[in-house]
Amino acid sequence: MRRPSPRMKKYLRVLAVTIALALFRGGVSFAAEIDVRDWTWAPFWSRDAGAGSCAMDAKILHDGKPTARIEHRGEHDWSYAPVRQFNVKEGDIFELSAWIKVAGSGHAELSATTRDDKNAVVEWTYGIKNIHESKDGQMARAQFVIPHGVATIHPRLTGSGPATAWMEGFRLQCKGNVESMRSNVADELKVENDAIGVMFQTRDTTFAVTDKRTGQTWAQKKVNHDLIVTGAKTSGAKMNIELFDAACGEKFVANVQLDLKRPEFIVAISGDGGMESPLAFPQPFVTPANSYLVVPMNEGISYPVTDATIPDMHLVAYGGHGICMSFFGATEGERAEMAILETADDASIHIARHDGILSVAPIWESQKGKFGYERKIRYVFFDRGGHVAMCKRYREYAKEIGKLKTFTEKRRENPNIDLLIGAVNTWCWEQDALGIVREMKDAGIDRILWSDAESGDTITAMNEMGGILTGRYDIYQDLMDPAVVTGKLHHSHGDWTEAGWPDDINRLANGDWRRGWGVDAKDGTRYYCGVLCDKQALKFARERVPADLQTHPYRARFIDTTTAAPWFECYDPRHPLTRSDSREWKMKLLAYMSHDMKLVTGSETGHDAAVPFVDYFEGMLSLGPYRVPDAGRKMQQILDTVPENISKFQLGHVYRLPLWELVYHDCVVAQWYWG
């Protein structure tokens, strides 16, 4: 290994980057405090050769000390780390910290590479903490518990993509061992009813559920090693579990309530503190090799658990480009287990492979940096019926909470619903709209949803033809800086809400404005629309729609992006939003269209939060990750060769499941994405 140059030694002395390791009973076997000046750091490494460097920066200071400045121009990953590895034991609790500032589109990461007793890598970036661009630096902390099979760790600062990162105060501390936090905790908790027995293993933080009807046991696998049970007890059909999450240093309480009559139980999780990283609990159920995951991605998809072609993925539960219904599960065709996210506004799911088997588990995200409200997940077990039984149970749940509103109910409020059923959705920009409609009717197409804006006289004539549901496009998300629109763009979109710039834009936690749709300017530069805060959208709709209907008697309206985009937090103090608030205001916008304006209402992609307010979804049939690339921009591109993702997942009978239709077939019309 190349020894550091005198300049680098001086730099490291000035930087005063130390690794301090607190001794713990039976724990770490190295000195209590080590100064980096006393040992070697590896040279800066980038996967893109020559794409980066590390040097001292005496201008960017932290606590009066110069920082290490890493400049990276490549698109891939990089690493800057000490050479030394450290011996550890199972259950040790570590905190890796540093002051870090990032500028650019890339990001930096604090993590540790874990290795087994033969020095083979177990995980390259364990306990990872991501740091993205911000105006000011931050004290970043990656906390983690050493899992079984790990003998050494190698703390590192890594990153990916083009960015400049500044670092100072790199420090590793051993804060104890799991066993010190488990005094007088029973190894197992058990509750049962006539249908199922539920056991919780406090050392593994896993549930195992035995279905008494079939004799099958559904067992979870410990994949989140940062959870520690510090207290546990049962009372009747209830469990009370006290948890400490080493990843964020916070305490949580999980209350488990077994249903006395059904093969179901609820896990309700509460916490009072902050939430630097998401909480992954409960752990995933790992199912037999002949089973498949059931995931309501748009219309629905199944993943055979042994299919090695499926990558890890995160899908939010709070937007159409995630899961459109708040459940997931697994089945071999008859016996099945499912989970219903009863609090889905700040939740997502993680699909991952463990020991060669795919599984899916919930992830609880913060509500503006805090755990916030109580989170709930309901587990349900079936002795027969597979994914169909799951959908029946979810439909029952949707009805209980008010999501289920059928066309029979909607027709009473708006008889034009009848024109939607069986109608072909037609987007057409030709000049002779009436001539095209007549040609379609002559060809035997007697139900048409006409989605393109036309003159008032044309809309009136279409309405008089009969069998035509006249509608138009509209959007309440994107707005462009008027200074950009003037002279720089080829054209301005007539439905952008420029009047909202900049006061009505959604703001991120760092105060920056949220970027939306990108538009290529005359000089090739791409400018981004701002995202209108959902709380501000309704006022623009109230100004626009009634005036439009006075001269254009539309019967329908398509509201783009509202259900496709996630629920957005907003940090503007004039119109702040949690994700729950965002959902509420999105639904108010859609309710205004359908209930107040009496329009048959559509939106993009789809999410079942909108079922009471929306009558059709464009894109629900087209699974988001498996569409033609850039389909939203290149609508007229014709592909001569079908991409593998299209034939395998979008159309392939092995993977697709009609989950949406099984739940909401009589509530909302599902259509393909227009691109």
Side-chain angles (χ1 to χ4, degrees):
M1 181 62 65
R2 180 175 61 87
R3 297 184 61 82
S5 66
R7 180 182 179 185
M8 181 57 73
K9 286 182 178 179
K10 179 181 178 182
Y11 156 60
L12 291 172
R13 285 196 296 270
V14 175
L15 199 58
V17 181
T18 61
I19 292 187
L21 300 158
L23 288 173
F24 179 76
R25 176 179 53 84
V28 186
S29 59
F30 35 79
E33 188 166 326
I34 298 177
D35 194 318
V36 171
R37 290 174 294 182
D38 298 330
W39 46 278
T40 305
W41 278 62
F44 177 80
W45 173 90
S46 173
R47 189 171 301 277
D48 301 311
S53 61
C54 179
M56 181 179 65
D57 193 330
K59 295 182 179 179
I60 302 296
L61 307 177
H62 173 246
D63 284 345
K65 302 172 185 176
T67 56
R69 184 182 72 245
I70 294 165
E71 296 183 357
H72 189 249
R73 299 173 296 279
E75 294 296 330
H76 300 100
D77 53 322
W78 54 265
S79 173
Y80 182 58
V83 172
R84 186 172 178 177
Q85 300 180 31
F86 300 99
N87 297 324
V88 296
K89 61 179 290 188
E90 181 178 353
D92 284 340
I93 305 167
F94 281 92
E95 179 182 274
L96 176 62
S97 61
W99 179 88
I100 298 173
K101 178 181 178 180
V102 176
S105 59
H107 67 278
E109 305 161 343
L110 281 177
S111 67
T113 297
T114 57
R115 289 179 168 86
D116 62 19
D117 56 3
K118 296 180 180 178
N119 206 36
V121 172
V122 177
E123 191 166 341
W124 280 106
T125 53
Y126 183 69
I128 190 167
K129 170 67 176 179
N130 286 301
I131 305 99
H132 294 272
E133 183 176 35
S134 62
K135 294 180 181 178
D136 302 312
Q138 60 176 288
M139 279 303 302
R141 292 179 175 84
Q143 301 180 98
F144 49 87
V145 176
I146 302 302
H148 177 73
V150 171
T152 64
I153 60 172
H154 184 195
R156 299 196 301 161
L157 176 67
T158 60
S160 181
T164 301
W166 293 265
M167 180 270 289
E168 195 277 327
F170 192 88
R171 187 179 180 87
L172 180 72
Q173 291 179 293
C174 181
K175 311 194 85 172
N177 189 282
V178 167
E179 288 302 317
S180 67
M181 306 181 70
R182 286 183 45 84
S183 59
N184 300 318
V185 177
D187 286 345
E188 296 178 351
L189 302 181
K190 295 181 180 179
V191 293
E192 61 181 323
N193 60 18
D194 291 340
I196 59 173
V198 181
M199 180 173 65
F200 182 72
Q201 296 277 2
T202 61
R203 289 186 177 275
D204 287 343
T205 63
T206 59
F207 288 98
V209 180
T210 299
D211 192 326
K212 298 179 180 179
R213 300 162 298 179
T214 64
Q216 179 173 351
T217 296
W218 302 88
Q220 292 182 344
K221 182 176 180 61
K222 182 178 182 178
V223 299
N224 180 0
H225 298 276
D226 295 324
L227 290 176
I228 305 162
V229 175
T230 60
K233 61 183 178 181
T234 59
S235 176
K238 299 179 181 179
M239 298 180 187
N240 177 269
I241 304 165
E242 298 175 8
L243 295 165
F244 176 75
D245 186 357
C248 61
E250 297 292 341
K251 297 178 180 179
F252 302 95
V253 174
N255 287 307
V256 180
Q257 175 67 64
L258 178 66
D259 192 298
L260 296 179
K261 297 181 179 180
R262 287 181 155 182
E264 305 180 4
F265 67 93
I266 292 176
V267 181
I269 309 166
S270 57
D272 296 329
M275 200 174 180
E276 286 190 4
S277 57
L279 174 65
F281 181 78
Q283 310 268 10
F285 280 99
V286 178
T287 55
N290 64 335
S291 57
Y292 54 90
L293 302 185
V294 176
V295 181
M297 174 196 292
N298 306 123
E299 175 72 14
I301 198 165
S302 64
Y303 292 123
V305 298
T306 56
D307 190 334
T309 68
I310 308 302
D312 286 12
M313 64 182 84
H314 280 88
L315 298 171
V316 301
Y318 48 85
H321 287 297
I323 55 173
C324 63
M325 298 180 283
S326 53
F327 77 90
F328 57 89
T331 180
E332 41 75 35
E334 285 293 335
R335 301 174 183 181
E337 61 88 10
M338 76 177 294
I340 299 174
L341 296 165
E342 295 195 356
T343 52
D345 286 346
D346 297 282
S348 60
I349 65 172
H350 183 205
I351 298 173
R353 184 173 287 99
H354 306 288
D355 298 329
I357 299 294
L358 283 175
S359 62
V360 57
I363 302 291
W364 306 108
E365 301 177 24
S366 73
Q367 183 186 58
K368 288 198 161 181
K370 298 183 180 296
F371 191 76
Y373 56 96
E374 183 180 64
R375 316 299 180 93
K376 288 186 178 182
I377 184 169
R378 177 186 296 269
Y379 289 97
V380 186
F381 301 86
F382 304 93
D383 58 347
R384 61 184 181 275
H387 65 262
V388 176
M390 291 186 202
C391 290
K392 289 182 177 180
R393 178 65 184 93
Y394 187 76
R395 181 179 170 96
E396 179 185 353
Y397 168 75
K399 185 175 182 180
E400 290 172 0
I401 64 172
K403 283 185 179 180
L404 197 76
K405 187 174 183 180
T406 66
F407 283 131
T408 300
E409 298 171 87
K410 293 178 178 181
R411 186 186 296 115
R412 297 192 194 107
E413 300 172 4
N414 186 354
N416 286 330
I417 287 291
D418 280 337
L419 297 173
L420 174 68
I421 310 303
V424 57
N425 190 355
T426 305
W427 289 88
C428 181
W429 292 272
E430 301 293 336
Q431 296 299 314
D432 186 13
L434 290 176
I436 291 172
V437 168
R438 293 189 187 100
E439 185 176 345
M440 293 173 70
K441 293 180 77 68
D442 289 342
I445 302 174
D446 57 2
R447 285 177 176 263
I448 301 170
L449 167 57
W450 188 267
S451 293
D452 191 35
E454 304 290 347
S455 69
D457 291 342
T458 299
I459 295 301
T460 299
M462 286 187 182
N463 290 341
E464 293 172 351
M465 286 183 181
I468 301 177
L469 180 60
T470 50
R472 59 155 291 181
Y473 173 97
D474 204 354
I475 186 171
Y476 297 91
Q477 174 168 295
D478 293 325
L479 63 159
M480 183 65 78
D481 184 347
V484 172
V485 172
T486 304
K488 294 184 178 181
L489 300 184
H490 294 284
H491 66 277
S492 174
H493 196 297
D495 297 314
W496 286 341
T497 50
E498 257 74 281
W501 188 283
D503 293 343
D504 294 326
I505 298 177
N506 180 291
R507 297 280 171 176
L508 304 174
N510 64 6
D512 196 7
W513 54 275
R514 190 181 297 275
R515 269 63 172 172
W517 184 252
V519 181
D520 293 333
K522 296 175 183 178
D523 62 358
T525 303
R526 175 161 290 186
Y527 291 92
Y528 287 91
C529 290
V531 173
L532 186 69
C533 178
D534 291 313
K535 191 174 184 179
Q536 306 302 91
L538 189 55
K539 68 178 183 181
F540 291 100
R542 286 172 171 160
E543 294 172 358
R544 178 183 297 174
V545 179
D548 189 27
L549 293 178
Q550 286 182 2
T551 56
H552 297 73
Y554 295 110
R555 294 168 171 171
R557 207 170 188 95
F558 173 73
I559 311 301
D560 198 13
T561 75
T562 297
T563 54
W567 320 153
F568 285 127
E569 292 181 336
C570 181
Y571 289 82
D572 191 311
R574 295 167 293 183
H575 40 81
L577 293 179
T578 64
R579 290 192 186 96
S580 297
D581 296 330
S582 172
R583 170 182 51 79
E584 180 180 345
W585 282 100
K586 283 175 181 282
M587 297 310 113
K588 285 182 178 179
L589 173 67
L590 297 172
Y592 176 74
M593 302 296 174
S594 60
H595 297 168
D596 296 1
M597 295 292 96
K598 302 300 180 184
L599 295 166
V600 175
T601 302
S603 194
E604 184 191 358
T605 301
H607 191 284
D608 75 341
V611 168
F613 318 108
V614 169
D615 308 305
Y616 67 97
F617 285 129
E618 288 195 10
M620 184 60 77
L621 293 177
S622 305
L623 310 185
Y626 307 118
R627 297 176 184 175
V628 173
D630 222 4
R633 295 181 184 273
K634 302 176 181 178
M635 285 92 71
Q636 296 179 325
Q637 181 184 29
I638 297 175
L639 301 180
D640 296 323
T641 302
V642 179
E644 182 183 8
N645 271 1
I646 299 291
S647 59
K648 184 176 181 179
F649 297 108
Q650 195 73 271
L651 304 175
H653 67 280
V654 173
Y655 296 92
R656 291 205 59 153
L657 290 177
L659 303 179
W660 179 263
E661 298 303 325
L662 287 168
V663 178
Y664 291 117
H665 56 275
D666 57 348
C667 301
V668 181
V669 171
Q671 300 168 345
W672 294 88
Y673 188 62
W674 69 341

